[in-house]
Amino acid sequence: MEVLLFLIPVALGLGALGLVGFLWSLKSGQYDDLEGARWRILDDDDVARPDGEASR
């Protein structure tokens, strides 16, 4: 039972750390463009333009 005195604060601390990380990711814009990643994977950047330069 004495181990609970150690494990409960550790569990609460890890939960708080996860919550802070999630809130940080929300504030930094990690979830702003959910559709863009799906379309960027289909964008073929390696295709050379007719003038010889890569598209990016």
Side-chain angles (χ1 to χ4, degrees):
M1 289 305 271
E2 295 164 357
V3 73
L4 290 178
L5 295 174
F6 173 72
L7 290 178
I8 289 175
V10 169
L12 290 175
L14 288 175
L17 185 65
L19 180 64
V20 168
F22 176 70
L23 292 175
W24 172 79
S25 68
L26 279 178
K27 189 172 183 173
S28 67
Q30 294 285 322
Y31 301 105
D32 286 349
D33 186 18
L34 296 177
E35 297 290 324
R38 180 173 63 177
W39 294 108
R40 279 192 299 273
I41 200 167
L42 298 174
D43 190 20
D44 194 7
D45 292 345
D46 297 334
V47 175
R49 292 182 183 169
D51 58 358
E53 292 185 22
S55 61
R56 288 189 189 187

